Amino acid sequence: MPARTLPTFTTAEVEAHSTAKSCYVTVGNVVYDVTDFLDAHPGGPELILDWAGKDITEILKDEISHTHTEAAYEVLDDAVVGHLNTGKKAGANGYTKGDANSKSTGADYDSSDVDSESTAVHPRTGMSCEEDLNKETDFNSDFKKHKFLDLNRPLLMQVWFGGFSKDFYLDQVHRPRHYKGGASAPLFGNFLEPLSLTPWWLVPTLWVPSVSYGLYIANLGFVSTAHQVAYFGFGLFLWTLIEYALHRFLFHLDGYLPDHRVGITLHFLLHGVHHYLPMDKYRLVMPPTLFVVLATPFWKLAHALFYFDWSVATTVFCGGVFGYVCYDLTHYFLHHQNLPLWYKGLKKYHLAHHFLDYELGFGVTSRFWDTVFGTELNMTPVVKSQ
């Protein structure tokens, strides 16, 4: 049987838990949450808080400062919450991450505690396959362990007032959770809540008639239908590149995200909430208002590039919008439907982007641009027997 898999933390993340409300310490590369033990500590909470966010190996051994009995170590055993990401073997769960300076592709995880026939569990997310995304999250234990967001309360204001560092936020928001019963977790918690929920069928209902009308009026400027079809196909192809660019450079603007609550909150609202709750049926497609905001500059771009012919520019734009419709529907179905054989591979690929490596695998409708730009995701974690 696989050993229990715990999350990994950076040194900065551990150091961020240095208050009476959230107090982490380390012994070697094992991370402990001792918040609940502060008031029960025989020497008083102040002694622990002096070491909050730090390694306590030496102070535990220091007989002059304070003699620690076996009971103290038993308390620590019950308080384990994860491991320090040092690039070396991570204690009890036995996973070794590959070269710390290389991009993680899901491979090169080693385990002495996992049977050679079992599937490797990713040390960051604790997941081994796409089915894990559907496992309901225990709200209370998740919040107690990670001190991130309480799924019982509206999420957006928690992000705004959370005081999270960028590194801690990015690590946590890319550890997928699943809301109970497949329902939607509260985002705003007020009258704005319905605006954040978009059923998949709204996308074709709104935009397919709009595309059809645009093509109809643009057709008047073409000599032949074949000519218009060619430009429509070009717009459709152009969308695949736009899709890749938006996903990689806007939705995953992670490395360039300001370490400030404004940037973090906007990131969460735009795409972070989807990675935090990837199986939420009503936050899988783009709300109409957001699409209009993003589509407006592309309308202007199309007419700037093809300034010589309004009909050509409009047809190219309509091809792009139709590509967007295909993208949003594909995205929904990859998460929630059983698909034909070709799509099954695409589904596995996209969901691996969620639970395996969010820094790779940006293509949703295809892997083409991932292959072109070298961001293709290796989806097969390797387990090596010792």
Side-chain angles (χ1 to χ4, degrees):
M1 293 294 290
R4 182 175 60 138
T5 302
L6 294 173
T8 57
F9 298 88
T10 65
T11 301
E13 289 167 355
V14 174
E15 291 174 348
H17 294 272
S18 57
T19 68
K21 292 183 178 180
S22 180
C23 181
Y24 284 12
V25 295
T26 62
V27 176
N29 64 348
V30 183
V31 182
Y32 303 89
D33 181 355
V34 294
T35 310
D36 293 341
F37 181 63
L38 291 175
D39 291 334
H41 184 238
E46 294 79 11
L47 289 178
I48 297 181
L49 290 172
D50 286 343
W51 289 86
K54 303 175 184 177
D55 188 287
I56 60 171
T57 303
E58 295 303 319
I59 195 65
L60 284 174
K61 297 177 181 178
D62 189 347
E63 297 293 334
I64 297 176
S65 171
H66 180 47
T67 300
H68 290 88
T69 65
E70 287 299 319
Y73 291 95
E74 290 175 2
V75 169
L76 285 177
D77 286 341
D78 293 334
V80 176
V81 291
H83 299 96
L84 201 59
N85 186 3
T86 61
K88 300 178 181 179
K89 192 165 182 176
N93 75 346
Y95 284 103
T96 303
K97 192 168 173 97
D99 183 359
N101 295 317
S102 67
K103 179 78 70 175
S104 169
T105 61
D108 300 320
Y109 292 108
D110 208 354
S111 173
S112 59
D113 297 327
V114 180
D115 186 89
S116 61
E117 297 298 319
S118 65
T119 303
V121 178
H122 194 276
R124 175 178 56 82
T125 63
M127 295 183 174
S128 62
C129 60
E130 62 193 54
E131 286 78 11
D132 288 340
L133 293 170
N134 279 302
K135 293 181 179 178
E136 290 190 358
T137 300
D138 184 321
F139 298 177
N140 295 325
S141 64
D142 181 75
F143 183 65
K144 181 179 179 181
K145 177 187 292 186
H146 297 289
K147 301 296 189 297
F148 183 48
L149 299 179
D150 182 354
L151 284 164
N152 289 301
R153 300 187 291 117
L155 301 175
L156 196 63
M157 287 298 100
Q158 292 185 69
V159 176
W160 178 259
F161 291 112
F164 307 124
S165 70
K166 180 180 77 171
D167 289 340
F168 177 73
Y169 163 78
L170 290 175
D171 175 73
Q172 288 298 321
V173 84
H174 290 110
R175 296 174 187 252
R177 275 77 163 181
H178 185 60
Y179 200 72
K180 57 186 177 183
S184 295
L187 182 62
F188 295 102
N190 55 29
F191 67 95
L192 294 174
E193 192 70 25
L195 299 178
S196 73
L197 305 173
T198 309
W200 69 268
W201 50 263
L202 191 61
V203 171
T205 300
L206 285 178
W207 305 123
V208 169
S210 300
V211 168
S212 300
Y213 178 70
L215 291 175
Y216 171 74
I217 59 175
N219 180 256
L220 302 176
F222 282 97
V223 175
S224 69
T225 302
H227 193 203
Q228 185 179 25
V229 168
Y231 278 108
F232 180 82
F234 175 74
L236 189 60
F237 174 76
L238 190 60
W239 163 258
T240 65
L241 179 59
I242 293 171
E243 168 198 315
Y244 175 86
L246 284 174
H247 195 185
R248 180 178 179 182
F249 298 112
L250 179 61
F251 298 162
H252 283 280
L253 192 70
D254 303 329
Y256 300 96
L257 188 67
D259 196 356
H260 187 275
R261 67 177 181 178
V262 174
I264 289 172
T265 303
L266 288 175
H267 180 279
F268 185 78
L269 192 60
L270 184 63
H271 196 61
V273 65
H274 172 55
H275 270 262
Y276 186 63
L277 296 162
M279 303 308 289
D280 186 333
K281 291 183 178 182
Y282 295 102
R283 295 195 177 104
L284 275 170
V285 298
M286 198 176 295
T289 305
L290 179 59
F291 176 70
V292 170
V293 170
L294 293 177
T296 299
F298 291 111
W299 167 266
K300 295 183 180 296
L301 178 62
H303 283 267
L305 292 175
F306 299 95
Y307 63 91
F308 54 86
D309 193 319
W310 185 92
S311 295
V312 168
T314 300
T315 298
V316 170
F317 178 77
C318 286
V321 174
F322 184 74
Y324 153 72
V325 173
C326 294
Y327 155 79
D328 247 357
L329 295 183
T330 299
H331 189 210
Y332 179 87
F333 293 140
L334 290 180
H335 279 262
H336 284 290
Q337 296 294 327
N338 292 319
L339 301 164
L341 185 60
W342 182 81
Y343 270 99
K344 287 184 184 298
L346 195 60
K347 176 175 183 172
K348 183 177 181 181
Y349 183 74
H350 177 65
L351 295 187
H353 166 76
H354 280 279
F355 75 82
L356 192 59
D357 193 341
Y358 65 90
E359 295 181 303
L360 296 171
F362 301 106
V364 175
T365 54
S366 79
R367 303 187 194 184
F368 176 74
W369 294 110
D370 277 322
T371 303
V372 170
F373 293 112
T375 55
E376 196 165 8
L377 178 62
N378 177 0
M379 301 178 296
T380 310
V382 176
V383 178
K384 302 174 184 177
S385 57
Q386 297 272 324

